Amino acid sequence: WLENRLPAPATRADTRGTQTRKKEFHHSSRQPLVGDWTPTDNVVFMTNYTKAMTEGYRENLKNKTLTVVTIGGNPYCMEKEEKERTDENSDVQYKGYVVDLIHEIAEVLGFKYTIKLVEDGSYGRKNERGEWNGMIKELIEGKADIACADLTITYEREAAVDFTMPFMSLGIGILYKKHKKEPPRLFSFMSPLAMDVWVYLITSFLGVTLFLFFVARFSPYEWVNPHPCVKEPEELKNNFSMKNTLWFTIGCLMQQGCDIMPRSLSTRVLAASWWFFILILVSSYTANLAAFLTVERMVNPIESAEDLSKQTKIPYGCVKSGSTEAFFRNSNFSTYARMWSFMESYRPSVFVESNTKGVDRVKKGDYAYLMESTSIDYIVQRECELYQVGALLDSKGYGIATPPDSPYRSIISDAILKLQEDGKLHMLKERWWSGKGKCESGKDTQKVQGSASELGLANVGGVFVVLAAGSCIAIFICIGEFIWKMKNIPRNERDHICVELLREIKYVICCYGNTRPIRKVSDVDGVIQPGNGLPFMPLTGYQDMNKDEEKERDLVRYDVDRDDTPQKFTYSNDSKTNIYEADYYSNYKASDV
């Protein structure tokens, strides 16, 4: 190579004064001096040899026509429509990111180019015999000068051809179809709470109702005089019948209240526990119901590559003879190795000929496609029913491939670096990725993570503990009230406390009714006390009226005339006289006279 390019020899004197023939060799007559050759010292290159050679190659590249091989695919290289085509030259028959990138590089370096599609439609893969296919094969065989496409830089390809610096960074992602939004259910109001919470709530409601019923019947302070005006009643009444108790608990549950309220300390403790239980549960239900009504819920069967590898219901694959296939085939990571074993053994085959066919298969449903994240970003901007699952599986880049030891690699890398510094690479990506997108968001993973979730038993289990603790405390207080009641009865008028306790439990369990005969209790002075026998807890509504101070009331009735004149009643006392007029239907009207 040097002998064919050596110019005429030149004679120079060395430092020792002897004449030695030296040859100054150039790459061409237009290129600068790169070194000297002598028979004794052989080749002596100049210190700026690399820079000089690069400048020489750059000058040689100007006005030269390069053959660019690429592969079809959105948005990198697409055929123009009929109305967009021209007959000037072949390169204008295509459009896309790669076409614009080659055009920008050609503007910087000043060369011409022609674009052709790869013959076998493959990126490049080495088979068992060490033979390459696709664009890598055409570069090795000299059918193309450069290969510009969404061609991933890999170790295996780098050993066969040369790559420029990456013009785009990316990683492997998972493309999947969104699940359709579920229509509202008839009982969607039950969604804020899990099913087990609803079961426990109904059980607690019935349990508290029965518990309050028995505690109220067992407590002596819930048996009151049904007629407060009667000083010595014959029987006492308990307002907490089964129907009233059920109405009380359901009124509290619906936060509507009830006209029956507990009187004794034990029933009040139990009621307070039930109220606290309802307060927390209803507040949690209301807050979570608002989230369910405002947040769109999306159910996704897979959230990451780990989820994808642990199931076999949804098949997944990638493009055939691509870098993604090589990544899984050569990976030693357990998850990716398991995924490759599944893809290789699954039938029918999960591998596709191109990204377009892979996307079409994803649209049909029940298929996940593994592809570069840049292509996924482009697709999800235009196909709103698709989205990217999880994070990227790796990190790599796209580069322009050249034949081995090509002098144009460093020159094209410098041009790519200049385009990156000028912001043109970013402008090209925005033009072809986001410029014509119709979807609002390319990724819905954040929406899935931010959706509302039902409250399980672990979230609201504490209120059940509070309710159970309040019920237990109410039992002990109720027993204490009964013992206190028995202590106030003389020993000769009652049995042993345990016997009385068992008798009372039997009376409560057998449900003999809401009334019971009053028990006459003698105090220490032998005076019979009416009611419940507690001087410090008088009967509700009872007033000891002094008959000497009571005013006499007269009621005078006049007969009704035949012409239906109103009846007249006269009520007299010391201060005034009221005349009540009543019509035929006894609707009274009072006036002071």
Side-chain angles (χ1 to χ4, degrees):
W1 180 81
L2 291 175
E3 291 292 341
N4 295 332
R5 290 165 173 77
L6 289 177
T11 303
R12 294 183 181 179
D14 59 6
T15 56
R16 294 173 295 181
T18 59
Q19 297 292 330
T20 305
R21 294 182 61 192
K22 294 185 179 180
K23 291 186 178 181
E24 299 175 355
F25 53 92
H26 307 263
H27 194 286
S28 66
S29 59
R30 295 178 299 172
Q31 293 181 350
L33 181 68
V34 296
D36 295 335
W37 177 84
T38 61
T40 57
D41 298 333
N42 293 329
V43 179
V44 179
F45 291 102
M46 299 174 59
T47 56
N48 58 348
Y49 163 74
T50 303
K51 182 178 180 181
M53 291 294 293
T54 302
E55 292 296 332
Y57 292 141
R58 189 186 300 272
E59 291 295 329
N60 189 31
L61 186 60
K62 290 182 178 179
N63 298 324
K64 187 175 181 179
T65 301
L66 300 181
T67 301
V68 181
V69 62
T70 185
I71 189 171
N74 298 334
Y76 302 99
C77 183
M78 303 167 287
E79 292 187 5
K80 289 185 177 180
E81 299 178 358
E82 293 293 337
K83 59 181 180 180
E84 298 176 338
R85 293 189 177 185
T86 60
D87 297 331
E88 296 178 359
N89 47 37
S90 60
D91 62 279
V92 297
Q93 305 303 322
Y94 301 99
K95 64 178 181 179
Y97 178 85
V98 167
V99 178
D100 291 348
L101 178 62
I102 289 296
H103 179 74
E104 293 292 339
I105 295 176
E107 289 290 333
V108 175
L109 300 180
F111 65 86
K112 298 179 182 180
Y113 61 92
T114 58
I115 297 178
K116 73 167 188 175
L117 297 180
V118 62
E119 296 177 358
D120 58 1
S122 299
Y123 289 90
R125 176 189 175 187
K126 185 169 64 173
N127 57 20
E128 294 79 4
R129 298 188 300 271
E131 299 175 352
W132 286 89
N133 65 351
M135 292 183 288
I136 305 298
K137 177 182 178 181
E138 295 195 7
L139 289 176
I140 296 175
E141 294 179 353
K143 295 181 180 180
D145 296 312
I146 59 176
C148 186
D150 50 334
L151 185 63
T152 306
I153 303 174
T154 63
Y155 174 79
E156 193 175 33
R157 291 173 179 172
E158 183 72 34
V161 296
D162 292 339
F163 279 94
T164 63
M165 66 169 293
F167 60 84
M168 187 180 296
S169 299
L170 64 143
I172 297 177
I174 304 174
L175 183 67
Y176 196 66
K177 184 179 181 180
K178 296 179 183 178
H179 280 255
K180 294 183 179 180
K181 184 179 179 181
E182 297 181 358
R185 295 177 299 173
L186 182 62
F187 296 97
S188 59
F189 63 89
M190 299 181 63
S191 300
L193 299 180
M195 184 55 63
D196 55 348
V197 177
W198 285 110
V199 173
Y200 280 107
L201 175 61
I202 296 175
T203 305
S204 301
F205 166 71
L206 298 177
V208 169
T209 301
L210 296 176
F211 209 68
L212 182 61
F213 172 73
F214 289 124
V215 170
R217 294 179 63 84
F218 191 83
S219 176
Y221 302 118
E222 290 295 340
W223 296 91
V224 295
N225 185 2
H227 306 290
C229 296
V230 180
K231 190 173 183 180
E232 297 181 2
E234 296 294 333
E235 60 182 10
L236 300 177
K237 182 180 180 181
N238 195 319
N239 291 326
F240 278 93
S241 62
M242 180 56 69
K243 293 188 297 183
N244 290 343
T245 307
L246 184 64
W247 181 248
F248 173 80
T249 52
I250 197 172
C252 297
L253 180 62
M254 299 301 175
Q255 295 185 329
Q256 300 301 317
C258 183
D259 53 350
I260 302 174
M261 299 302 292
R263 299 171 181 269
S264 64
L265 181 60
S266 57
T267 53
R268 288 179 178 179
V269 170
L270 181 57
S273 302
W274 176 244
W275 290 341
F276 179 78
F277 173 84
I278 293 302
L279 173 65
I280 301 301
L281 199 63
V282 171
S283 301
S284 303
Y285 172 82
T286 305
N288 213 32
L289 179 63
F292 266 81
L293 295 178
T294 56
V295 178
E296 179 183 0
R297 293 182 53 81
M298 299 183 63
V299 180
N300 297 309
I302 53 175
E303 299 290 343
S304 62
E306 188 72 23
D307 297 338
L308 199 62
S309 64
K310 292 180 180 179
Q311 57 84 42
T312 57
K313 182 179 179 181
I314 302 175
Y316 48 90
C318 59
V319 68
K320 187 185 300 182
S321 301
S323 61
T324 303
E325 180 187 10
F327 169 79
F328 286 98
R329 183 178 65 251
N330 301 327
S331 178
N332 294 324
F333 187 58
S334 59
T335 300
Y336 302 153
R338 186 166 59 249
M339 294 175 66
W340 169 250
S341 178
F342 173 82
M343 290 187 290
E344 193 177 24
S345 60
Y346 192 86
R347 293 295 179 272
S349 177
V350 294
F351 299 102
V352 294
E353 300 294 334
S354 63
N355 287 336
T356 303
K357 294 183 179 180
V359 174
D360 294 338
R361 190 167 177 178
V362 173
K363 291 180 181 179
K364 296 178 181 179
D366 294 333
Y367 179 77
Y369 186 54
L370 302 164
M371 63 187 306
E372 283 79 5
S373 58
T374 52
S375 300
I376 293 179
D377 293 340
Y378 175 82
I379 293 171
V380 297
Q381 288 285 346
R382 288 152 180 81
E383 302 291 342
C384 300
E385 59 181 352
L386 306 180
Y387 76 104
Q388 177 180 331
V389 177
L392 301 181
L393 278 64
D394 67 342
S395 178
K396 50 191 175 183
Y398 288 152
I400 298 177
T402 61
D405 301 325
S406 173
Y408 305 132
R409 180 182 64 173
S410 60
I411 302 174
I412 298 176
S413 295
D414 293 341
I416 293 175
L417 183 60
K418 179 176 176 56
L419 294 177
Q420 182 178 357
E421 292 177 351
D422 295 341
K424 292 185 178 180
L425 292 182
H426 178 72
M427 293 172 59
L428 289 178
K429 187 173 181 180
E430 288 294 323
R431 178 191 305 173
W432 289 102
W433 265 258
S434 303
K436 300 180 181 179
K438 61 181 180 180
C439 303
E440 295 181 359
S441 176
K443 296 181 181 180
D444 284 341
T445 54
Q446 295 181 354
K447 180 182 292 186
V448 175
Q449 295 174 358
S451 61
S453 58
E454 62 184 14
L455 295 178
L457 187 61
N459 302 104
V460 295
V463 294
F464 290 95
V465 176
V466 173
L467 181 62
S471 302
C472 295
I473 294 175
I475 291 177
F476 291 111
I477 294 178
C478 183
I479 295 175
E481 290 175 341
F482 181 81
I483 295 175
W484 178 264
K485 171 71 175 179
M486 292 295 104
K487 287 291 185 180
N488 292 332
I489 300 177
R491 184 66 181 84
N492 57 354
E493 296 183 7
R494 62 173 174 82
D495 294 328
H496 192 270
I497 292 181
C498 294
V499 177
E500 294 285 349
L501 181 62
L502 294 177
R503 184 183 295 116
E504 190 69 19
I505 292 176
K506 179 181 178 181
Y507 183 84
V508 170
I509 295 177
C510 294
C511 300
Y512 289 126
N514 296 328
T515 60
R516 64 189 302 178
I518 189 171
R519 186 170 186 172
K520 303 297 182 179
V521 182
S522 300
D523 59 6
V524 294
D525 297 331
V527 180
I528 302 298
Q529 296 180 354
N532 51 19
L534 296 178
F536 57 86
M537 192 173 183
L539 294 174
T540 304
Y542 179 80
Q543 295 181 355
D544 189 8
M545 302 179 61
N546 190 350
K547 295 183 179 180
D548 296 336
E549 298 178 357
E550 185 179 0
K551 302 297 182 180
E552 182 179 359
R553 293 175 173 83
D554 297 326
L555 182 62
V556 181
R557 179 179 182 276
Y558 293 90
D559 295 333
V560 180
D561 296 336
R562 293 183 178 180
D563 56 351
D564 295 337
T565 56
Q567 299 179 8
K568 294 185 178 180
F569 299 89
T570 302
Y571 168 75
S572 61
N573 54 22
D574 295 342
S575 59
K576 59 183 178 180
T577 300
N578 294 335
I579 296 179
Y580 292 84
E581 295 182 356
D583 57 11
Y584 186 77
Y585 300 100
S586 301
N587 293 325
Y588 294 94
K589 179 179 179 183
S591 60
D592 294 338
V593 296

